[in-house]
Amino acid sequence: MAGQGFVYGIAAAITCAIQLTGYAVAYSLKTETFYDILGGVNYLALALWSAIAGSIDAPLNWVDDPRKILVTILFICSRGWLLIFLAWRAHERKGDSRFDEVLGKGGGQPQPFGFFVFWMAQAFWVFLISLPMLFVNSSQVNKPGFSAFDIAFAILFCAGVLIEILADIQKALWVKRGRKGDFCTDGVWAVSRHPNYFGEIFQWWCLFAFSYSSSNNGYTDPLWWVGILSPLFTMQILLTMEPTGLCNAEGKNLKRYYDKCPERYSKYRENTSILIPMIGYKYVPMFLKRTIFFDFEKYEYKPKSDGSVKNE
């Protein structure tokens, strides 16, 4: 019988194999070109593996279990878009500056361990994000129908994916048109400063909630609770870790906007939520912005009196 532990264990092994192989080949070639692409491929491999293995000795085969079919399709749509977008972006940019130092592209010494850390971080992210999907596909619970709770969170998951897709496309088109206006305010960017990150975080909270109906013992099922690492780790990466997410987009990296258009950009920040798409953000009290809206002080631009920028 392919129990949930077995499905999870092989999924972890698949992830390690893909990322370690990617690291070895990429470092030998001194390139980061297929780093993001292999992340996307890894997601799809885990979806395929869990769909096959989770059907072994299960009350319903995967093709007869609408809950497993839906979660797999939703997951593949989300990660399939990510794979397509990141492959296109890698082609357009012809490189990724995040890796310049560890690959020694600026004339420095290559750092094999530093490059290895990037690949292992991706391995953790892929596996942890996939936890709700793995949980549903490996579940032995026989609940072929959908509750109102399931339908609501499936719809909300789709909304999160759609917001991320719209944000990526609108930003890419804005760049193609020559970055008119110095910073993007097209579409969803008019109501959120980082709608792509919101969509990414929101969808994993929704999938974690959706997976609840596949638990054996409701809120006392420890393996279901493990799935909360999916949205929490996503938030950790996008909200607190350099050189990606908000730490890379905000703070000292806002200098280009304050140099070119300080008044317009200050007004945009005042009126626009950092994450959650909404209207009327300027009326939100500061203590709420600094807490539940995630607009933390560390994301502010703080030039020193001599014109340099403080590093938070």
Side-chain angles (χ1 to χ4, degrees), residues 51 62-78 133 136-137 144-147 149-155 157-158 207 210:
W62 184 88
V63 293
D64 298 318
D65 192 326
R67 185 179 308 281
K68 293 182 178 181
I69 292 174
L70 180 59
V71 79
T72 305
I73 291 174
L74 292 177
F75 186 84
I76 288 176
C77 287
S78 167
M133 181 273 300
V136 175
N137 275 348
F146 295 110
S147 66
F149 180 88
D150 297 330
I151 294 171
F153 278 101
I155 292 173
F157 177 89
C158 292
L207 201 65
F210 177 87

Short mmCIF file of all heavy atoms in Angstrom, two decimals, residues 51 62-78 133 136-137 144-147 149-155 157-158 207 210:
data_model
loop_
_atom_site.label_atom_id
_atom_site.label_comp_id
_atom_site.label_asym_id
_atom_site.label_seq_id
_atom_site.Cartn_x
_atom_site.Cartn_y
_atom_site.Cartn_z
N ALA A 51 -0.16 11.79 -8.08
CA ALA A 51 -1.40 11.33 -8.71
C ALA A 51 -1.35 9.83 -8.98
O ALA A 51 -2.34 9.12 -8.80
CB ALA A 51 -1.63 12.09 -10.02
N TRP A 62 -7.46 7.59 -8.97
CA TRP A 62 -7.31 9.03 -9.19
C TRP A 62 -8.33 9.53 -10.20
O TRP A 62 -8.93 10.59 -10.00
CB TRP A 62 -5.89 9.33 -9.66
CG TRP A 62 -5.61 10.80 -9.82
CD1 TRP A 62 -5.17 11.67 -8.87
CD2 TRP A 62 -5.79 11.57 -11.02
NE1 TRP A 62 -5.05 12.93 -9.40
CE2 TRP A 62 -5.42 12.90 -10.71
CE3 TRP A 62 -6.21 11.26 -12.31
CZ2 TRP A 62 -5.45 13.91 -11.67
CZ3 TRP A 62 -6.25 12.27 -13.26
CH2 TRP A 62 -5.88 13.59 -12.93
N VAL A 63 -8.55 8.79 -11.25
CA VAL A 63 -9.46 9.24 -12.31
C VAL A 63 -10.92 9.22 -11.86
O VAL A 63 -11.78 9.83 -12.52
CB VAL A 63 -9.32 8.36 -13.58
CG1 VAL A 63 -7.95 8.56 -14.20
CG2 VAL A 63 -9.57 6.89 -13.27
N ASP A 64 -11.20 8.55 -10.75
CA ASP A 64 -12.57 8.50 -10.23
C ASP A 64 -12.77 9.39 -9.02
O ASP A 64 -13.87 9.43 -8.46
CB ASP A 64 -12.93 7.05 -9.85
CG ASP A 64 -12.88 6.11 -11.04
OD1 ASP A 64 -13.35 6.52 -12.12
OD2 ASP A 64 -12.35 4.99 -10.89
N ASP A 65 -11.72 10.09 -8.61
CA ASP A 65 -11.79 10.92 -7.41
C ASP A 65 -11.73 12.40 -7.82
O ASP A 65 -10.66 12.93 -8.12
CB ASP A 65 -10.62 10.60 -6.48
CG ASP A 65 -10.78 11.21 -5.09
OD1 ASP A 65 -11.34 12.31 -5.00
OD2 ASP A 65 -10.34 10.59 -4.11
N PRO A 66 -12.88 13.07 -7.88
CA PRO A 66 -12.90 14.47 -8.36
C PRO A 66 -12.05 15.41 -7.50
O PRO A 66 -11.53 16.40 -8.01
CB PRO A 66 -14.38 14.84 -8.32
CG PRO A 66 -15.01 13.87 -7.38
CD PRO A 66 -14.23 12.60 -7.52
N ARG A 67 -11.93 15.10 -6.21
CA ARG A 67 -11.13 15.97 -5.34
C ARG A 67 -9.65 15.94 -5.76
O ARG A 67 -8.99 16.97 -5.85
CB ARG A 67 -11.28 15.52 -3.89
CG ARG A 67 -10.60 16.41 -2.87
CD ARG A 67 -10.83 15.88 -1.46
NE ARG A 67 -12.26 15.68 -1.25
CZ ARG A 67 -13.12 16.66 -0.98
NH1 ARG A 67 -12.67 17.89 -0.88
NH2 ARG A 67 -14.39 16.40 -0.82
N LYS A 68 -9.14 14.72 -6.03
CA LYS A 68 -7.75 14.59 -6.44
C LYS A 68 -7.53 15.17 -7.84
O LYS A 68 -6.50 15.79 -8.12
CB LYS A 68 -7.32 13.13 -6.38
CG LYS A 68 -7.27 12.58 -4.95
CD LYS A 68 -6.78 11.14 -4.92
CE LYS A 68 -6.72 10.65 -3.46
NZ LYS A 68 -6.22 9.25 -3.37
N ILE A 69 -8.49 14.95 -8.72
CA ILE A 69 -8.38 15.51 -10.06
C ILE A 69 -8.33 17.03 -10.00
O ILE A 69 -7.48 17.67 -10.63
CB ILE A 69 -9.58 15.06 -10.93
CG1 ILE A 69 -9.51 13.56 -11.20
CG2 ILE A 69 -9.61 15.83 -12.25
CD1 ILE A 69 -10.73 13.01 -11.92
N LEU A 70 -9.22 17.62 -9.21
CA LEU A 70 -9.27 19.08 -9.12
C LEU A 70 -8.00 19.67 -8.54
O LEU A 70 -7.45 20.63 -9.09
CB LEU A 70 -10.48 19.52 -8.29
CG LEU A 70 -10.66 21.03 -8.12
CD1 LEU A 70 -10.81 21.71 -9.49
CD2 LEU A 70 -11.86 21.34 -7.23
N VAL A 71 -7.51 19.09 -7.44
CA VAL A 71 -6.32 19.67 -6.81
C VAL A 71 -5.11 19.54 -7.73
O VAL A 71 -4.26 20.44 -7.79
CB VAL A 71 -6.05 19.02 -5.43
CG1 VAL A 71 -5.38 17.66 -5.56
CG2 VAL A 71 -5.19 19.93 -4.57
N THR A 72 -5.04 18.44 -8.48
CA THR A 72 -3.91 18.26 -9.40
C THR A 72 -3.99 19.25 -10.55
O THR A 72 -2.98 19.85 -10.94
CB THR A 72 -3.89 16.82 -9.94
OG1 THR A 72 -3.86 15.89 -8.85
CG2 THR A 72 -2.66 16.59 -10.81
N ILE A 73 -5.19 19.44 -11.09
CA ILE A 73 -5.35 20.40 -12.20
C ILE A 73 -5.05 21.83 -11.73
O ILE A 73 -4.35 22.58 -12.42
CB ILE A 73 -6.78 20.32 -12.77
CG1 ILE A 73 -6.97 18.99 -13.51
CG2 ILE A 73 -7.06 21.49 -13.71
CD1 ILE A 73 -8.38 18.75 -14.00
N LEU A 74 -5.56 22.20 -10.56
CA LEU A 74 -5.29 23.54 -10.03
C LEU A 74 -3.79 23.75 -9.81
O LEU A 74 -3.24 24.80 -10.17
CB LEU A 74 -6.05 23.74 -8.71
CG LEU A 74 -7.57 23.81 -8.78
CD1 LEU A 74 -8.16 23.94 -7.39
CD2 LEU A 74 -8.03 24.96 -9.66
N PHE A 75 -3.15 22.75 -9.25
CA PHE A 75 -1.72 22.84 -8.97
C PHE A 75 -0.92 22.95 -10.26
O PHE A 75 0.00 23.78 -10.37
CB PHE A 75 -1.28 21.61 -8.17
CG PHE A 75 0.14 21.65 -7.70
CD1 PHE A 75 0.47 22.31 -6.52
CD2 PHE A 75 1.16 21.03 -8.42
CE1 PHE A 75 1.79 22.34 -6.08
CE2 PHE A 75 2.47 21.06 -7.99
CZ PHE A 75 2.80 21.72 -6.82
N ILE A 76 -1.26 22.12 -11.25
CA ILE A 76 -0.53 22.14 -12.52
C ILE A 76 -0.75 23.47 -13.25
O ILE A 76 0.18 24.02 -13.86
CB ILE A 76 -0.95 20.95 -13.40
CG1 ILE A 76 -0.38 19.66 -12.82
CG2 ILE A 76 -0.49 21.14 -14.84
CD1 ILE A 76 -0.83 18.41 -13.56
N CYS A 77 -1.97 24.01 -13.21
CA CYS A 77 -2.23 25.31 -13.84
C CYS A 77 -1.38 26.41 -13.19
O CYS A 77 -0.77 27.24 -13.89
CB CYS A 77 -3.71 25.67 -13.72
SG CYS A 77 -4.79 24.72 -14.80
N SER A 78 -1.32 26.40 -11.87
CA SER A 78 -0.53 27.39 -11.15
C SER A 78 0.95 27.28 -11.48
O SER A 78 1.60 28.25 -11.86
CB SER A 78 -0.75 27.24 -9.64
OG SER A 78 0.20 27.99 -8.91
N MET A 133 -1.04 19.70 -1.96
CA MET A 133 -1.35 18.86 -3.10
C MET A 133 -0.97 17.41 -2.83
O MET A 133 -1.73 16.47 -3.13
CB MET A 133 -0.64 19.39 -4.35
CG MET A 133 -0.88 18.63 -5.64
SD MET A 133 0.28 17.23 -5.87
CE MET A 133 1.87 18.07 -5.89
N VAL A 136 -3.59 15.80 -0.42
CA VAL A 136 -4.85 15.40 -1.04
C VAL A 136 -4.66 14.16 -1.91
O VAL A 136 -5.42 13.19 -1.83
CB VAL A 136 -5.45 16.55 -1.88
CG1 VAL A 136 -6.69 16.08 -2.62
CG2 VAL A 136 -5.79 17.74 -0.99
N ASN A 137 -3.61 14.16 -2.74
CA ASN A 137 -3.42 13.05 -3.67
C ASN A 137 -3.04 11.75 -2.98
O ASN A 137 -3.26 10.67 -3.53
CB ASN A 137 -2.36 13.41 -4.72
CG ASN A 137 -2.93 14.18 -5.89
OD1 ASN A 137 -4.14 14.26 -6.06
ND2 ASN A 137 -2.06 14.76 -6.70
N PRO A 144 -15.98 11.68 -2.35
CA PRO A 144 -15.99 12.02 -3.78
C PRO A 144 -16.66 13.34 -4.12
O PRO A 144 -16.41 13.91 -5.17
CB PRO A 144 -16.75 10.84 -4.41
CG PRO A 144 -17.59 10.30 -3.30
CD PRO A 144 -16.79 10.49 -2.04
N GLY A 145 -17.53 13.83 -3.26
CA GLY A 145 -18.23 15.08 -3.56
C GLY A 145 -17.51 16.29 -3.02
O GLY A 145 -16.52 16.19 -2.30
N PHE A 146 -18.01 17.48 -3.35
CA PHE A 146 -17.44 18.74 -2.87
C PHE A 146 -18.42 19.42 -1.94
O PHE A 146 -19.62 19.51 -2.24
CB PHE A 146 -17.12 19.67 -4.04
CG PHE A 146 -16.06 19.17 -4.96
CD1 PHE A 146 -16.38 18.77 -6.25
CD2 PHE A 146 -14.74 19.10 -4.55
CE1 PHE A 146 -15.41 18.30 -7.11
CE2 PHE A 146 -13.76 18.63 -5.41
CZ PHE A 146 -14.09 18.22 -6.69
N SER A 147 -17.91 19.93 -0.83
CA SER A 147 -18.73 20.73 0.07
C SER A 147 -18.67 22.18 -0.40
O SER A 147 -17.86 22.56 -1.25
CB SER A 147 -18.21 20.62 1.50
OG SER A 147 -16.92 21.22 1.60
N PHE A 149 -17.55 24.51 1.36
CA PHE A 149 -16.21 24.93 1.82
C PHE A 149 -15.17 24.63 0.73
O PHE A 149 -14.33 25.48 0.41
CB PHE A 149 -15.89 24.16 3.11
CG PHE A 149 -14.54 24.48 3.70
CD1 PHE A 149 -14.38 25.53 4.59
CD2 PHE A 149 -13.44 23.69 3.39
CE1 PHE A 149 -13.13 25.81 5.15
CE2 PHE A 149 -12.20 23.96 3.94
CZ PHE A 149 -12.04 25.03 4.83
N ASP A 150 -15.22 23.43 0.17
CA ASP A 150 -14.28 23.04 -0.89
C ASP A 150 -14.41 23.96 -2.09
O ASP A 150 -13.40 24.44 -2.64
CB ASP A 150 -14.54 21.60 -1.33
CG ASP A 150 -14.31 20.59 -0.23
OD1 ASP A 150 -13.48 20.84 0.64
OD2 ASP A 150 -14.98 19.54 -0.25
N ILE A 151 -15.63 24.18 -2.52
CA ILE A 151 -15.88 24.99 -3.72
C ILE A 151 -15.39 26.42 -3.51
O ILE A 151 -14.76 27.02 -4.40
CB ILE A 151 -17.38 24.98 -4.07
CG1 ILE A 151 -17.81 23.57 -4.48
CG2 ILE A 151 -17.69 25.97 -5.18
CD1 ILE A 151 -19.31 23.39 -4.63
N ALA A 152 -15.65 26.96 -2.32
CA ALA A 152 -15.25 28.34 -2.04
C ALA A 152 -13.73 28.49 -2.13
O ALA A 152 -13.23 29.43 -2.77
CB ALA A 152 -15.74 28.75 -0.65
N PHE A 153 -12.99 27.56 -1.53
CA PHE A 153 -11.53 27.70 -1.53
C PHE A 153 -10.91 27.32 -2.87
O PHE A 153 -9.83 27.81 -3.21
CB PHE A 153 -10.92 26.92 -0.37
CG PHE A 153 -10.99 27.69 0.92
CD1 PHE A 153 -11.96 27.41 1.86
CD2 PHE A 153 -10.11 28.73 1.18
CE1 PHE A 153 -12.05 28.13 3.04
CE2 PHE A 153 -10.19 29.47 2.35
CZ PHE A 153 -11.16 29.17 3.28
N ALA A 154 -11.58 26.48 -3.63
CA ALA A 154 -11.10 26.21 -4.98
C ALA A 154 -11.23 27.47 -5.84
O ALA A 154 -10.33 27.81 -6.62
CB ALA A 154 -11.89 25.06 -5.60
N ILE A 155 -12.36 28.16 -5.70
CA ILE A 155 -12.57 29.41 -6.44
C ILE A 155 -11.56 30.47 -6.00
O ILE A 155 -10.99 31.19 -6.83
CB ILE A 155 -14.01 29.91 -6.24
CG1 ILE A 155 -15.00 28.97 -6.92
CG2 ILE A 155 -14.18 31.33 -6.79
CD1 ILE A 155 -16.46 29.28 -6.63
N PHE A 157 -8.62 29.94 -4.71
CA PHE A 157 -7.30 29.55 -5.23
C PHE A 157 -7.16 30.03 -6.68
O PHE A 157 -6.14 30.61 -7.05
CB PHE A 157 -7.14 28.03 -5.17
CG PHE A 157 -5.84 27.55 -5.75
CD1 PHE A 157 -4.70 27.45 -4.96
CD2 PHE A 157 -5.74 27.19 -7.10
CE1 PHE A 157 -3.49 27.01 -5.50
CE2 PHE A 157 -4.55 26.76 -7.65
CZ PHE A 157 -3.42 26.65 -6.84
N CYS A 158 -8.19 29.79 -7.47
CA CYS A 158 -8.18 30.25 -8.87
C CYS A 158 -8.02 31.77 -8.95
O CYS A 158 -7.31 32.28 -9.83
CB CYS A 158 -9.45 29.82 -9.58
SG CYS A 158 -9.61 28.04 -9.83
N LEU A 207 -5.18 26.63 -0.94
CA LEU A 207 -5.02 25.20 -1.17
C LEU A 207 -4.86 24.44 0.14
O LEU A 207 -5.34 23.31 0.27
CB LEU A 207 -3.84 24.93 -2.09
CG LEU A 207 -3.89 23.57 -2.81
CD1 LEU A 207 -5.07 23.52 -3.76
CD2 LEU A 207 -2.60 23.28 -3.55
N PHE A 210 -8.33 24.07 1.36
CA PHE A 210 -9.03 23.09 0.53
C PHE A 210 -8.67 21.66 0.93
O PHE A 210 -9.52 20.76 0.90
CB PHE A 210 -8.69 23.32 -0.95
CG PHE A 210 -9.32 22.33 -1.89
CD1 PHE A 210 -10.59 22.53 -2.39
CD2 PHE A 210 -8.61 21.18 -2.28
CE1 PHE A 210 -11.17 21.60 -3.25
CE2 PHE A 210 -9.19 20.26 -3.13
CZ PHE A 210 -10.47 20.47 -3.62
#
